[in-house]
Each structure stands twice: as C-alpha cells, then as structure tokens.
C-alpha cells in the first residue's frame, strides 16, 4: 500500500467528548512552530495561564496545562499529593470515580470508597460519615461532572466537608469547565483538573490543572519523591513558573498549546457566564425535543448536567443500530452507555462548540428518523417543534 494523507470525514461531535473544534482553533494550531523557550512562546504561556486562572475562577499561582489528556491531569493530582500509606476518601458514582480509586491505590495509598448509584450524585451525608469514621484522611476525591452518567455533584459542599476534616479536595472538572460553574477559590478546592476537548472545545491532549496554596504546601512537605518524573509539579513549575528564566523539563506541545490559547480567547470573548447560559439553554431545548418524542433522561432534574445528557433507550430499540445510523447517514456521533449503563442509555453531549441550536435540532431530527426506521411510534416533527419553542424565546 502506498501511504497517502489521511482525510478524516466531517463529523458532528455530540458524544461525551471530543466536541466540535472551531476552525479558529484548528487554524491556530497550524501556525509556525517556534521553540518552547522562545521569549514569544513564553508570552503565550503566560497568557494561557492567566486565561486558565480566569476560567477556573482562581488566583492559584500553580495553574498550568499538563501535557497530556484529562487522565494525565487526574494522575498528576494524585501522584503529586498522595504518598504511600495515605488514606483517601474516593467518591464513586460512575466510571471516572472508579479511575480515581485506581489512582489512589497505585500511589500506594488506601482508598476508602463512598459509593452512590450510577445516575445519582455523590451523597454528602455518606462522605461526612466516611470522613468522621476515618480520622487523618489525606484527601477527598470526587468527580464534579460524571460524564459516564450525566450527573453533577455538589462540589461546594464536598470541598467544605474536606476542609472541615483537614483533608485536601481533589476535584475532577474535566467535563464541567466552561459548561457549568467551576469556582475553585470560592469552593476552596485544592487540586482541580480539566480537559481540553470537552466544554473548552479544543483538540484532545491537554489537561488544565490548578493547585491551591494548601496543595502546594502538601507537595513541598512530601516525605517521598513524586513517583512520576514526568508529572512531578516540583520539576514542571521550573518551566511553567513565572519569570523569564525557564528550565527545560520536557518539550511543550507547542502547537497544541496554540489551540488551547485560541479556545480560551474564544471563551473569554463569549464570556464564561454566557457560555454557561448557552449550555443550559441548549440542554433545555434538547430535553424538550426528547420528551416530545417520548424519550426520558436517566438523571433526576436538579442533578442533570446540561453538557451530557444520558437518554434512556426505549424498550425494543436496537441502541447500537441507532448510533450507527446517526453516524453513517448523518455524520453525527453520540455516545453509548458505559459499564452498568451499556445498552441502556445514549449519551448526547452538548459541549462547547457542540452546544448550538443547529446541533440540537440536527440531533433531534436524525434521532427521530432513526427511531421511525425501527418502527417506533412517535409524533413526527414534534421534537423539532418543541425544541424550537425553547430556542425561539
Ligand atoms: C473525559 C474525562 C476524563 C478523561 O479525560 P481524557 O482526556 O479522556 O483522558 C476524566 N474525567 C472525566 C469526568 C471525563 O469526562
């Protein structure tokens, strides 16, 4: 076979991430590569840092994009803060909480798991009981926006509980940042990580992380070396830390950072509060359309994430065939259920650039056609009409 350039198809991305990437971000990434210690590059790094502080609502000095996907940001938080022998309360109400537990154990620490049913938020009462029953817990770890189920947990209350019990809070904000409020300083969150490809609508591969002063003190007071050389923040901050003098740690993903910079500029231009409102509006429109088709959501009202909608698959419908039809006929990607929810839900993402009226109405029309093709009885055109009633107010 003669190697040929890869031409990906044009898709509409409405799954659990990545979301659609604006051409401004893609073209920013095609700008000339310069050195990672070039003075002009350092100017751009400082701008990325201050725009991330703005997005996280924090003044934390240690705020940087880790060179790796959201999972690398997750791992960075655990390896920098957790040492062998520590105890960590981990909230598990979906896939990503389970990964946090895995991280804790790989750090040689003990995970005290607080479980909640998939599709429900973390129960602060159970967390408080676990913190009380286990004095000396080093950290409380939880997922703010559980992408596997579409649930939001009460980050403010959980961070408060951690602080009251002398524990650090480790917060997964991969799917929340840009879509719903992530108020790091206001919550008193100690270690918060996100991802570039969800509501920030950049390409995958970067993970914004921010550490409070309390987290930085914990890192400085470690008895053992951070087990990961690559993710060791005491080394990384020599590159990302302020000032003109920067030490080589690893070669930064230069062009990927141009992309993140552009997506943060776009978020700033829109205004983050406007972005939250837009996500909420599009969710209301999608929900209205789904309900008009007789489709329900997994998560109870009040805990639903606007940016990730877990839709219950009606009895007798081949859920995988629906996804294949959407992809092949409409170029539209939605997500499948994971774990215990496999086969039971579709996951429709409305993240970043994928949270627009066009995405909502396109998805509803495609879903309606796919369900009709399987013989589902539904009022034709009702979904679009219901969505438009929300969108046109
Ligand atoms: C997507 C996601 C991750 C992992 O991010 P990757 O970029 O896929 O490594 C972690 N946590 C949550 C809640 C996510 O949605």
């Amino acid at each position: 076979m003669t190697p040929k350039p890869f031409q990906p198809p044009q898709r509409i991305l409405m799954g659990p991430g990545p979301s659609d990437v604006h051409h401004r971000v893609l073209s920013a990434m095609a700008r000339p590569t310069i050195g990672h210690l070039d003075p002009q590059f350092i100017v751009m790094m400082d701008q990325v840092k201050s725009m991330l502080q703005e997005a996280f609502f924090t003044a934390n000095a240690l705020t940087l994009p880790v060179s790796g996907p959201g999972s690398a940001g997750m791992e960075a938080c655990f390896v920098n803060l957790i040492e062998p022998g520590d105890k960590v309360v981990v909230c598990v109400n979906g896939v990503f909480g389970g990964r946090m537990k895995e991280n804790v154990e790989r750090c040689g620490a003990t995970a005290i798991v607080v479980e909640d049913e998939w599709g429900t938020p973390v129960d602060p009462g159970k967390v408080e009981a676990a913190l009380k029953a286990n004095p000396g817990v080093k950290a409380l770890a939880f997922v703010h926006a559980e992408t596997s189920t579409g649930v939001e947990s009460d980050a403010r209350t959980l961070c408060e509980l951690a602080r009251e019990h002398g524990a650090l809070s480790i917060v997964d904000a991969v799917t929340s940042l840009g879509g719903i409020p992530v108020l790091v300083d206001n919550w008193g969150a100690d270690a918060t990580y996100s991802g570039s490809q969800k509501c920030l609508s950049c390409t995958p591969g970067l993970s914004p992380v921010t550490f409070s002063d309390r987290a930085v003190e914990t890192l400085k007071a470690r008895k053992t070396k951070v087990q990961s050389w690559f993710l060791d923040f005491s080394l990384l901050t020599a590159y990302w830390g302020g000032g003109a003098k920067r030490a080589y740690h690893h070669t930064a993903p230069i062009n990927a950072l141009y992309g993140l910079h552009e997506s943060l500029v776009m978020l700033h231009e829109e205004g983050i509060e406007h972005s939250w409102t837009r996500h909420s509006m599009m969710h209301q429109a999608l929900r209205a359309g789904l309900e008009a088709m007789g489709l329900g959501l997994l998560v109870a009202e009040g805990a639903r994430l606007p940016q990730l909608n877990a839709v219950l698959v009606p009895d007798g419908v081949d859920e995988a065939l629906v996804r294949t039809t959407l992809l092949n006929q409409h170029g539209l990607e939605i997500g499948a259920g994971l774990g215990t929810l496999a086969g039971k839900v579709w996951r429709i993402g409305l993240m970043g650039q994928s949270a627009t009226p066009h995405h909502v109405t396109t998805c509803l029309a495609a879903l309606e056609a796919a369900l009709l093709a399987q013989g589902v009885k539904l009022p034709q055109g009702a979904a679009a009409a219901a969505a438009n009633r929300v969108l046109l107010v």
Side-chain angles (χ1 to χ4, degrees):
M1 169 210 139
T2 315
K4 282 202 293 280
F6 175 60
Q7 292 296 351
Q10 191 70 50
R11 300 286 197 215
I12 302 165
L13 299 178
M14 297 186 70
S19 52
D20 277 350
V21 180
H22 198 277
H23 63 81
R24 269 180 65 179
V25 171
L26 293 175
S27 57
M29 293 173 78
R31 289 175 194 150
T33 304
I34 60 176
H36 61 104
L37 292 169
D38 187 306
Q40 292 299 312
F41 189 69
I42 288 169
V43 170
M44 193 223 55
M45 287 168 71
D46 283 341
Q47 291 171 356
V48 166
K49 180 175 163 180
S50 68
M51 288 189 290
L52 284 177
Q53 288 169 324
E54 188 185 339
F56 276 127
F57 285 75
T58 186
N60 286 343
L62 201 174
T63 302
L64 55 81
V66 167
S67 303
S71 306
M74 179 190 284
E75 186 134 358
C77 291
F78 286 97
V79 297
N80 279 283
L81 297 175
I82 307 304
E83 294 188 70
D86 285 343
K87 287 185 289 186
V88 181
V89 171
V90 186
C91 306
V92 180
N93 62 338
V95 167
F96 294 101
R99 290 190 179 178
M100 286 179 137
K101 171 178 182 277
E102 187 68 26
N103 269 273
V104 167
E105 289 169 350
R106 285 174 192 232
C107 292
T110 304
I112 299 156
V113 175
V114 172
E115 274 199 87
D116 281 290
E117 206 181 314
W118 287 35
T120 65
V122 173
D123 178 349
K126 287 193 207 166
V127 171
E128 186 167 23
L131 288 166
K132 278 200 177 126
N134 296 280
V137 160
K138 177 82 162 282
L140 165 68
F142 67 91
V143 179
H144 178 215
E146 200 18 286
T147 321
S148 60
T149 61
V151 163
E152 176 177 2
S153 287
D154 182 352
R156 179 192 304 279
T157 300
L158 294 171
C159 289
E160 259 167 35
L161 279 175
R163 210 166 41 251
E164 278 167 22
H165 289 84
L168 297 168
S169 44
I170 299 180
V171 185
D172 181 317
V174 174
T175 281
S176 39
L177 190 67
I180 53 174
V182 176
L183 309 174
V184 166
D185 286 1
N186 191 279
W187 294 346
D190 291 301
T192 310
Y193 60 91
S194 189
S196 49
Q197 80 278 24
K198 312 253 169 138
C199 294
L200 297 180
S201 263
C202 184
T203 52
L206 288 169
S207 178
V209 176
T210 186
F211 269 28
S212 71
D213 291 345
R214 221 156 62 108
V216 173
E217 290 312 314
T218 305
L219 170 59
K220 283 188 182 149
R222 284 181 69 102
K223 296 191 276 302
T224 57
K225 271 191 185 178
V226 173
Q227 74 192 62
S228 162
W229 177 86
F230 183 66
L231 295 171
D232 184 342
F233 279 177
S234 50
L235 304 174
L236 257 179
T237 45
Y239 178 56
W240 274 96
K245 275 209 172 59
R246 310 223 172 190
Y248 166 63
H249 177 259
H250 66 277
T251 309
I254 316 276
N255 293 56
L257 286 165
Y258 297 165
L260 180 63
H261 183 279
E262 190 71 15
S263 70
L264 291 167
V265 168
M266 290 181 68
L267 183 64
H268 180 88
E269 286 171 358
E270 178 179 15
I272 194 160
E273 289 89 352
H274 281 115
S275 176
W276 300 336
T277 310
R278 174 168 54 82
H279 282 85
S280 161
M281 279 273 293
M282 295 313 127
H283 162 72
Q284 295 305 338
L286 180 74
R287 200 214 57 199
L290 292 169
E291 283 174 356
M293 274 194 275
L295 298 177
L297 294 175
L298 169 76
V299 178
E301 204 164 349
R304 288 176 189 157
L305 288 171
Q307 64 272 49
L308 196 288
N309 299 269
V311 181
L312 296 165
V313 177
D315 284 342
V317 169
D318 181 341
E319 76 81 22
L321 181 61
V322 168
R323 283 185 290 110
T324 312
T325 307
L326 294 190
L327 192 67
N328 293 343
Q329 295 195 358
H330 305 270
L332 192 149
E333 178 183 279
I334 64 169
L338 294 179
T340 56
L341 295 174
K344 297 188 180 136
V345 297
W346 293 297
R347 290 183 301 149
I348 302 183
L350 293 168
M351 299 182 183
Q353 297 297 323
S354 297
T356 73
H358 174 70
H359 285 82
V360 170
T361 51
T362 303
C363 178
L364 289 170
L367 197 53
E368 180 181 294
L371 291 172
L372 285 170
Q374 287 201 28
V376 176
K377 299 251 180 312
L378 53 84
Q380 274 193 57
N388 280 318
R389 274 195 293 280
V390 176
L391 292 169
L392 294 174
V393 290

